[in-house]
Amino acid sequence: MRYRTFSEQDYVPLQALDLLAQRAADPAFDTLPAREQEGRLHTSLPALKFYERSEHSFVAEEDGQLHGVVLAQSVWQGDRPTVLVRTLTTRPGAAPEVAASLLHATVKSAYDAAVYEVHFALTPDLAGAALQEEAVVTGRYAVCHLGTRAQTAPGVRLGTPGAGDA
């Protein structure tokens, strides 16, 4: 497996990988309203152009096929930079080391850029990778969706059983 930055030639395969992963995560994805489908995808053309230049985003490739992608960016916090991982997506059925290696590539790029914090949502797919990177858990990652997406966005709404309310 090769881990590398991506370029414009990867945009269409990245969009296909994103769509494949969304359909695997939610078999009803194709029945969702178009706006919700668009909101769940991470690989719009503007997003890909932005993350291509971020210096912290990478793909996993083997035999010409993409097996995963991490989209991350440096964010200035006023007193120090951090790297924020927007998403880490792997091909359904990909080996766990794909996610671990993609996260490691982002951690290494952050360190090389003198950024000493990498923030990401701790998803079940990233638990093993986070353990390998000796990550610490400082809370939970929540998202407030505004507008009509508040009704259809994925995730468990706080206040419902199993949401892990504090």
Side-chain angles (χ1 to χ4, degrees):
M1 190 77 57
R2 179 177 167 222
Y3 299 89
R4 61 172 176 81
T5 58
F6 62 88
S7 66
E8 188 174 344
Q9 292 82 5
D10 296 306
Y11 289 2
V12 171
L14 281 167
Q15 290 170 330
L17 174 63
D18 191 11
L19 186 58
L20 181 67
Q22 292 299 328
R23 287 175 172 156
D26 184 354
F29 179 82
D30 290 325
T31 66
L32 295 170
R35 184 176 178 127
E36 179 59 27
Q37 288 181 27
E38 182 181 312
R40 292 187 188 192
L41 293 169
H42 306 287
T43 53
S44 68
L45 185 58
L48 289 173
K49 286 183 178 200
F50 173 80
Y51 285 106
E52 179 185 0
R53 296 185 310 271
S54 77
E55 300 180 9
H56 303 294
S57 298
F58 301 92
V59 294
E61 176 188 39
E62 186 172 57
D63 299 326
Q65 184 177 48
L66 298 183
H67 290 265
V69 61
V70 59
L71 301 177
Q73 66 173 310
S74 184
V75 178
W76 180 246
Q77 300 294 333
D79 60 348
R80 67 181 173 267
T82 62
V83 168
L84 175 64
V85 175
R86 175 184 182 183
T87 190
L88 193 152
T89 303
T90 58
R91 180 172 295 284
E97 58 265 15
V98 173
S101 295
L102 284 167
L103 182 61
H104 183 70
T106 297
V107 168
K108 183 179 181 331
S109 73
Y111 184 82
D112 290 348
V115 178
Y116 301 111
E117 290 185 26
V118 177
H119 294 232
F120 55 95
L122 186 57
T123 63
D125 292 341
L126 278 177
L131 184 63
Q132 286 183 21
E133 293 297 331
E134 299 180 5
V136 297
V137 178
T138 60
R140 294 178 289 181
Y141 190 89
V143 178
C144 293
H145 291 280
L146 308 177
T148 58
R149 282 209 64 218
Q151 303 306 312
T152 56
V156 178
R157 188 171 309 280
L158 289 173
T160 59
D165 295 336

